[in-house]
Amino acid sequence: MRAVDWLLHEDEFNPSALGKCEAVMCLGNGYLGLRSATEERYIGERRGLFVAGTFNRFHESEVCELPNAADFLEMDIFLNDEKFNLQSGTVKSYSRTLNLSTGELCRKVEWVSPIGRGYTLDFFRVVSLCDLHTIAQKVCITPLDGNAELSLSTGINGQITNSGSQHFSEGAKRLYEKKYMQLVQTTVESNIDFVITTHCNFYGGEAESHIHMDRRKIFSVYTAAINKGECLTIEKITTVHTSRDKACENLGTEALQAHGLANLKKQSVGYDKLLVDSAAAWKAILWDNVPVTVESENPRDATALRFAQYHLQIMAPAHDPRMNIGAKGLSGEGYKGHTFWDTEVFALPYYIFTQPKTARSLEEYRYNSLPGAREKANLGGFKGAQFPWESAWLDDGEVTPLWGAADIVTGLPIPILTGQIEIHITCDVCYGIWQYYMATGDEDFMEKYGYEVIFETATFWESRLEEGDDGLLHINHVIGPDEYKDGIDDDAFTNYFARWNLYLAMEYYDKLSGTALLEKLKERLTLDRSGWQSKAEHVYVPAPREDGVIPQNSTFLILKDIDLSKYKAQKQVGSIYKDYNHDQIGQMQVCKQADVLLLLLLMEAAFTPEVKRANWNYYEPRTLHDSSLSLSTHCILAGDMGDYAEAYSLFERACNIDMGPNLNSSNDGIHAGSIGGIWQCAVLGFGGLRLVGDKIRIEPKLPESWRRLEFYAFLKGQKVRIEITKDKINLENTTRTGEVKLEINGIEHVLTDMLNIDNYSQPI
Amino acid sequence: MRAVDWLLHEDEFNPSALGKCEAVMCLGNGYLGLRSATEERYIGERRGLFVAGTFNRFHESEVCELPNAADFLEMDIFLNDEKFNLQSGTVKSYSRTLNLSTGELCRKVEWVSPIGRGYTLDFFRVVSLCDLHTIAQKVCITPLDGNAELSLSTGINGQITNSGSQHFSEGAKRLYEKKYMQLVQTTVESNIDFVITTHCNFYGGEAESHIHMDRRKIFSVYTAAINKGECLTIEKITTVHTSRDKACENLGTEALQAHGLANLKKQSVGYDKLLVDSAAAWKAILWDNVPVTVESENPRDATALRFAQYHLQIMAPAHDPRMNIGAKGLSGEGYKGHTFWDTEVFALPYYIFTQPKTARSLEEYRYNSLPGAREKANLGGFKGAQFPWESAWLDDGEVTPLWGAADIVTGLPIPILTGQIEIHITCDVCYGIWQYYMATGDEDFMEKYGYEVIFETATFWESRLEEGDDGLLHINHVIGPDEYKDGIDDDAFTNYFARWNLYLAMEYYDKLSGTALLEKLKERLTLDRSGWQSKAEHVYVPAPREDGVIPQNSTFLILKDIDLSKYKAQKQVGSIYKDYNHDQIGQMQVCKQADVLLLLLLMEAAFTPEVKRANWNYYEPRTLHDSSLSLSTHCILAGDMGDYAEAYSLFERACNIDMGPNLNSSNDGIHAGSIGGIWQCAVLGFGGLRLVGDKIRIEPKLPESWRRLEFYAFLKGQKVRIEITKDKINLENTTRTGEVKLEINGIEHVLTDMLNIDNYSQPI
């Protein structure tokens, strides 16, 4: 994978890396995600079409997941009876390119068939950012050595599954007007209709077509003659609609079918027009609006930021507050499309600063899912709202699966306990809402949704705290961010944030005191401010030891140390599981990811630089970065400590999680949190934009190789352009309808229109 | 596909013909069928493991079908980090061979990897005929150009579906004793547990292994070093057990798991031993017992008969009378594992004459499925028992799906009406039972099962007949054997056989008159003998016209004729559907398959040679043989009319349905009825062994190119060797515990030990 300028390139067809390109070059628009599988099929591919929020549960033995819908990308191409396939014949030239600027995927191939006839085949594809339901494909075929008879078989294939689990019943198949093919699939449990409608147009030659229907399949076989040296162009336009779409919720299946057909006809304006319109939308939404511009000695850094913005755009179901971001976005089956803390802690800052409406929608989802969160608290014998570790439907509550990979000692699958005991998600959600509020000042959101979530989560913590023999309140038997430790007590991260959640609720309760809103909330909710307070005051939070090290939990520091160098140097994450099982790893001082360090970052004002340094020195060598969420946290923290070279190195590693050379790490989908982390490294880390308490702070820490960083951030409703060079900070309020208070390198400023700071000095 | 002696050969790897070899070279033992997919995977493959009688319904929108169980054949082989795959690198030599004698599948490959390193890989596989649950694989790998590091990934993969429909919930995965892998799958509706247990042994080198579990998957990665020129052998032994197995019905899942593991340990005696034992069973059951020996100028004919016997052996669930033969045996998803009339009319004669116990089990299945047949009659407002056109579970009743391929005119799937109106299956079942009884004289079977079926089916017909304006009784709105005609009246085949069914019931009723058995049956059943009689006497059966032609139904002869030459010369069956839709074909004098001609064959004594000739001349030119059941009927009838050359040509065509060059005709599985037909052509046709009424007749009609035909037939409990040459018929009663009355070329004989007839003359 080469990342150059606005482009991601694959220069050589590699059948071992199909999954990677499918995910990393995934197309989408937040409504749907379409893995970039090739038109011709290969073993090892993982074709995927996912529509946000359409969860289904295949069987009671599984949890719900985002179903993998029918494939329409496939094209079986025969040229003079030889099947086009890059594993046969000779590939004379090959390139596959994702243009991050336009969202177009191109593949250009010069292929010599097994019997020696040359052809060029150029494939183009775009998922529209204008009409969320439309996907366009174009194929140009030129025979080089003689005339060719083309036979092209393409249609809609509903045989696709989620790794064997089939979420759909076989629905209607229909050919309209001898040209428009349609397949209906309905999820078996959640009863969502999917209607996919498609048709092909030929340019540069006449084609005959013949319709076929097979099990879960409708397709046409097109035959056409192509003269030597001439180009035949096939365009395939497809629409995808579901009964979960807000516009279609109350349509019956037949009306949805008619709607899908009507929209296909409307969208059939030709590939090029669809592409131009969609590219214009990319420009308007991102590249002309809130681009991050990096001038670095390593030009790949700029591409990495574009890559991050591209994926953050296509993964977010900004159109519907009943949906949220999956841990793999919409780019794969991994994590079943479920929403984790990744949203608030790793992705949300991007939306807060660049697309506050999307950020609001994502947090409205949390409010909307309070029924499930209340149910989860209640099931555990607690009060208030406990957000599920993994979240799907609004009223699902917990959807974490129960079993994972193989335990090498017992020979059984490893139980997954995160859904039961990784409870810090509840304060993470609160933290996300608070950050959104701090950045935007969106009082309307808080009144409608935000305060209620903060109060209800505080009530959960109040009921969850356990009095210990020491008279203090503890949180026992949890998993902290470091998931290599199960069922530990007094996880530092969890305890600090639970206490913070209680104090935040008290602060807002007091602020709302005497308002009609508070009275209304009190009618519906049990708001026990004094209960919050009496508990908050007695929460045990592990203080730094004399050497500054904060115990990650009550036992971590007394566990045995082992030589981790083999695993620190690993090529694939999780290699320690080849030598030890989960229980054994639980008995060692080894961390999967940032835990205490994440606490130090998110609550940065609460800890001294000395404590940060001490904990870095202690924990980083013991951390395997086996979670994709680890490197960006370490990067930002390294910058905060003045280790710019280390920070930059960690940034590069974070970028490599998806963009890097590992062939299979992204098979199940891109790493949404990690991609949010790339943006965080640049803007919150190197750019130094941070929310500290209710303050907005800018404290740039550009790495050596970065000459200039420019980005945009919505701050209190004002869109601010922030340009940072080695010696200057230039700010421009492009909205100019209000003022923004900022602290820049320790000095408070008020930004109304422009602010230019010369010769600032980066902290050590 | 070359068929030579005892072997079916594939001489060149052809990725377009994967399905054909998988089906035609399918392994099995009647308990399970295992498609012969390659160890390495290819696009276009259709891996398949089917266990008889384990039907499941994926969703209410589908009918039940035989689920495609987990795959354990797959082996991902990396040699020095290069993936073994015949579509990459160079294939220096290749052969895949099914040995019909031993049931062993071998594949021998010399492969030069993409970077130019040579290897030989020999693959062997056998499904045990001794222990029905055991499958053995062996792989021998030799690096030719240097040492090799092998990485082999293999285990059990439960992601397999039936063309996208997943019948199983994900069950337990387990590694026992660090070596035995086990996967449990449970059918989602019928709740049948499948337990698959497997392990690998390495010979000629040490292997390290590492266990992996993934969704619906358990597999180990084995790594080993192989020295240049040395052979490393991997043996993988697998057992398959289900909770539908009689021996395991009352075990819980955990006990079934223990049972599977215990049997695997018991069967782990090495590949060669398992093969030798299984080959011995093949010899004992078939090749030393009831072989058909053909001496022909075309040696392929002998192989065709072995091919037929091989498949007739592996398709029949002889172990369990709750199960029957699917239209594709156990060799594919086609026809969903359902049982059709193919059993009685096309396959049963083979078992009646060579494996009467199996024949009895198959007809016990019909008796056992009377609950479903009664239910079907009742649902239609009729009395007695109406057998379903497609049959699965004993109490299912009708399981024919409702929709088929695309209608080119309406753009909708074609409705499948056979389940509703192709009612002749009910007399076909009766005919099968009657044939079994005529050949075996098995009174025990008749008393326990046979009479009841014959009475109950007669009662159905009695209630189904409709009085017409002509005062006669008609059967309206049916589909006859020619399925190109829907909803026609007075189908000759149906009417003749319905009347026969009534008369047969009367005959047996009278025979049983005064017995305790009849009294007992009368207690349970409504046996209205006079009702049968009064109806039987008034059934309208279409008599031959003056020119001898019997109207296939009430309207066929007035439909328009079109020029069929294009379709008669077709390479793929069903080509007429590319030009006309089903309704249009229904308005033409065109037959899918033998219809009136089949009547003339099955009721041969009822029609004169002139009538046969007239109908042949009329119908054959109008028949497209678009059903695989058509050619063998025509072959036998051609012989009966003295057209030996035509008969032989039709035999060759019938053999080619599966063994022939068409690359994709067997993708969904072999054609069970057609394979029964191959045997019928030889033994009933050329050998001239026939049951005519209650007589056993031998009237040989050897084709020109056949010098000698020898076969065995159980006749009235005596195993008779029948040898036919151009001028001799030699019979030997090898049982010698009784005598067999026979009519040989018009002369009655009684066979006690030997009978040699010289200088017989074949009828012209």
Side-chain angles (χ1 to χ4, degrees), chain A residues 533-581:
Chain A
Q533 177 153 14
S534 66
K535 292 287 178 83
E537 286 169 356
H538 295 91
V539 175
Y540 164 76
V541 293
R545 298 192 303 199
E546 224 168 77
D547 63 0
V549 173
I550 297 170
Q552 183 177 305
N553 59 55
S554 65
T555 52
F556 188 91
L557 297 179
I558 56 168
L559 300 177
K560 69 168 174 244
D561 269 312
I562 66 157
D563 177 8
L564 294 171
S565 46
K566 174 178 168 191
Y567 314 113
K568 291 287 277 186
Q570 68 192 354
K571 285 192 178 161
Q572 304 267 0
V573 296
S575 61
I576 193 169
Y577 277 100
K578 291 194 174 176
D579 296 330
Y580 301 99
N581 79 353

Side-chain angles (χ1 to χ4, degrees), chain A residues 65-92:
Chain A
E65 69 183 324
L66 224 44
N68 196 351
D71 175 69
F72 48 80
L73 294 178
E74 182 179 355
M75 294 185 177
D76 258 21
I77 297 170
F78 288 84
L79 291 158
N80 290 325
D81 292 327
E82 291 186 283
K83 186 169 183 170
F84 169 65
N85 184 298
L86 298 176
Q87 290 186 302
S88 67
T90 310
V91 180
K92 300 261 280 188

Side-chain angles (χ1 to χ4, degrees), chain A residues 263-553:
Chain A
N263 193 35
L264 177 62
K265 290 180 179 178
K266 189 175 146 201
Q267 299 297 331
S268 292
V269 293
Y271 178 89
D272 294 341
K273 169 83 172 120
L274 287 168
L275 171 65
V276 164
D277 289 352
S278 186
W282 275 100
K283 236 167 125 68
I285 294 170
L286 281 194
W287 313 125
D288 280 354
N289 184 27
V290 288
V292 178
T293 308
V294 174
E295 288 177 19
S296 167
E297 283 168 24
N298 181 358
R300 191 166 178 268
D301 296 345
T303 311
L305 267 299
R306 289 164 185 153
F307 173 75
Q309 286 198 280
Y310 170 85
H311 274 288
L312 287 159
Q313 181 65 33
I314 69 171
M315 72 173 68
H319 60 291
D320 195 328
R322 300 170 305 168
M323 298 160 191
N324 205 293
I325 295 173
K328 300 286 188 184
L330 295 165
S331 71
E333 287 176 18
Y335 295 118
K336 302 180 185 300
H338 294 171
T339 295
F340 293 68
W341 70 320
D342 308 41
T343 292
E344 277 79 9
V345 177
F346 296 94
L348 189 66
Y350 171 76
Y351 303 106
I352 287 177
F353 287 119
T354 66
Q355 302 187 355
K357 274 190 194 160
T358 300
R360 174 169 169 153
S361 180
L362 294 171
E363 293 316 292
E364 281 184 28
Y365 167 86
R366 293 298 193 180
Y367 173 84
N368 290 332
S369 65
L370 275 175
R374 289 196 178 100
E375 173 76 5
K376 180 170 166 74
N378 189 44
L379 280 172
F382 304 114
K383 299 189 292 179
Q386 180 186 11
F387 282 95
W389 178 247
E390 298 189 21
S391 184
W393 287 100
L394 299 173
D395 51 5
D396 269 340
E398 189 58 62
V399 292
T400 303
L402 295 177
W403 300 100
D407 184 316
I408 56 157
V409 173
T410 64
L412 287 162
I414 302 170
I416 299 176
L417 300 176
T418 52
Q420 295 155 57
I421 59 176
E422 189 157 357
I423 64 174
H424 63 79
I425 175 77
T426 294
C427 27
D428 306 335
V429 168
C430 229
Y431 181 81
I433 286 173
W434 175 69
Q435 290 260 304
Y436 171 75
Y437 183 36
M438 288 302 98
T440 61
D442 184 349
E443 206 57 57
D444 177 69
F445 169 81
M446 291 302 289
E447 289 178 7
K448 285 182 179 148
Y449 313 112
Y451 294 126
E452 182 167 344
V453 173
I454 290 164
F455 294 155
E456 285 288 85
T457 50
T459 298
F460 164 71
W461 289 114
E462 183 246 301
S463 69
R464 176 62 176 79
L465 289 161
E466 301 159 68
E467 192 169 334
D469 296 338
D470 54 4
L472 295 175
L473 298 174
H474 299 264
I475 303 176
N476 296 324
H477 197 64
V478 302
I479 299 174
D482 168 22
E483 292 169 341
Y484 280 169
K485 299 289 167 286
D486 275 354
I488 46 84
D489 300 338
D490 288 324
D491 172 63
F493 185 94
T494 306
N495 285 23
Y496 271 96
F497 266 105
R499 185 176 68 168
W500 168 85
N501 195 340
L502 286 162
Y503 277 113
L504 186 71
M506 284 148 56
E507 178 191 332
Y508 287 153
Y509 186 96
D510 294 344
K511 191 181 90 172
L512 295 181
S513 173
T515 62
L517 174 65
L518 186 65
E519 293 312 307
K520 261 178 63 185
L521 287 171
K522 278 162 127 180
E523 278 170 31
R524 287 198 291 116
L525 313 173
T526 306
L527 302 183
D528 179 10
R529 192 204 175 285
S530 63
W532 298 340
Q533 177 153 14
S534 66
K535 292 287 178 83
E537 286 169 356
H538 295 91
V539 175
Y540 164 76
V541 293
R545 298 192 303 199
E546 224 168 77
D547 63 0
V549 173
I550 297 170
Q552 183 177 305
N553 59 55

Side-chain angles (χ1 to χ4, degrees), chain B residues 620-635:
Chain B
E620 199 289 327
R622 290 173 172 84
T623 299
L624 299 181
H625 306 299
D626 279 349
S627 161
S628 67
L629 305 175
S630 190
L631 292 166
S632 61
T633 301
H634 281 80
C635 164

Side-chain angles (χ1 to χ4, degrees), chain B residues 82 114 123 125-126 139 236 339 428 458 486 500 545 625 746:
Chain B
E82 291 186 283
F123 300 90
R125 192 187 295 171
V126 68
V139 187
K236 183 176 183 183
T339 294
D428 306 334
D486 276 353
W500 169 86
R545 297 192 302 199
H625 306 299

Side-chain angles (χ1 to χ4, degrees), chain B residues 82-217:
Chain B
E82 291 186 283
K83 186 169 183 168
F84 169 64
N85 183 298
L86 298 175
Q87 290 185 303
S88 67
T90 311
V91 180
K92 299 260 280 189
S93 70
Y94 176 90
S95 74
R96 174 152 59 166
T97 305
L98 172 66
N99 187 327
L100 298 165
S101 159
T102 61
E104 187 186 37
L105 183 78
C106 303
R107 192 162 59 112
K108 299 193 176 200
V109 180
E110 186 181 341
W111 179 67
V112 180
S113 77
I115 67 157
R117 305 188 113 201
Y119 303 91
T120 63
L121 297 101
D122 296 345
F123 300 90
F124 306 87
R125 192 187 295 171
V126 68
V127 169
S128 175
L129 203 58
C130 301
D131 180 78
L132 300 182
H133 306 276
T134 298
I135 304 95
Q137 291 171 264
K138 181 166 82 167
V139 187
C140 306
I141 302 174
T142 308
L144 304 176
D145 299 330
N147 299 342
E149 286 295 324
L150 167 73
S151 163
L152 182 148
S153 171
T154 193
I156 311 164
N157 174 7
Q159 296 187 357
I160 305 294
T161 66
N162 289 57
S163 298
S165 287
Q166 176 57 264
H167 288 288
F168 297 97
S169 63
E170 183 177 8
K173 287 167 280 199
R174 182 74 187 267
L175 180 73
Y176 297 95
E177 301 167 33
K178 307 228 169 196
K179 67 192 269 205
Y180 301 103
M181 294 178 273
Q182 188 175 73
L183 182 85
V184 182
Q185 334 178 256
T186 305
T187 58
V188 291
E189 177 247 1
S190 55
N191 210 31
I192 302 169
D193 290 328
F194 281 55
V195 172
I196 302 180
T197 319
T198 191
H199 80 125
C200 288
N201 275 325
F202 282 69
Y203 303 95
E206 289 295 304
E208 267 195 41
S209 79
H210 199 80
I211 185 70
H212 293 266
M213 296 181 194
D214 203 346
R215 195 164 178 186
R216 297 174 176 272
K217 263 187 179 177

Side-chain angles (χ1 to χ4, degrees), chain A residues 741-758:
Chain A
K741 285 187 198 145
L742 300 135
E743 183 190 297
I744 302 178
N745 278 25
I747 299 163
E748 300 214 337
H749 297 268
V750 177
L751 173 68
T752 47
D753 47 4
M754 308 280 279
L755 199 58
N756 300 307
I757 295 164
D758 290 347

Side-chain angles (χ1 to χ4, degrees), chain A residues 41-43 58-59 61-62 65 87 159 161-166 168-170 173-175 178 188 210-213 215-216 333 336 405-406 408 410-413 578, chain B residues 41-43 58-59 61-62 65 87 159 161-166 168-170 173-175 178 188 210-213 215-216 333 336 405-406 408 410-413 578:
Chain A
R41 300 191 70 167
Y42 298 98
I43 290 295
F58 165 71
H59 186 260
S61 63
E62 299 190 358
E65 69 183 324
Q87 290 186 302
Q159 296 187 357
T161 66
N162 289 57
S163 297
S165 288
Q166 177 54 266
F168 297 97
S169 62
E170 183 176 9
K173 287 167 279 198
R174 182 75 190 267
L175 180 72
K178 306 226 171 199
V188 292
H210 199 79
I211 185 70
H212 293 267
M213 294 181 195
R215 193 163 179 189
R216 296 176 177 270
E333 287 176 18
K336 302 180 185 300
I408 56 157
T410 64
L412 287 162
K578 291 194 174 176
Chain B
R41 303 191 69 169
Y42 298 98
I43 290 295
F58 165 72
H59 185 261
S61 63
E62 300 189 358
E65 68 183 323
Q87 290 185 303
Q159 296 187 357
T161 66
N162 289 57
S163 298
S165 287
Q166 176 57 264
F168 297 97
S169 63
E170 183 177 8
K173 287 167 280 199
R174 182 74 187 267
L175 180 73
K178 307 228 169 196
V188 291
H210 199 80
I211 185 70
H212 293 266
M213 296 181 194
R215 195 164 178 186
R216 297 174 176 272
E333 287 176 19
K336 301 179 186 299
I408 56 157
T410 65
L412 288 163
K578 290 193 176 178

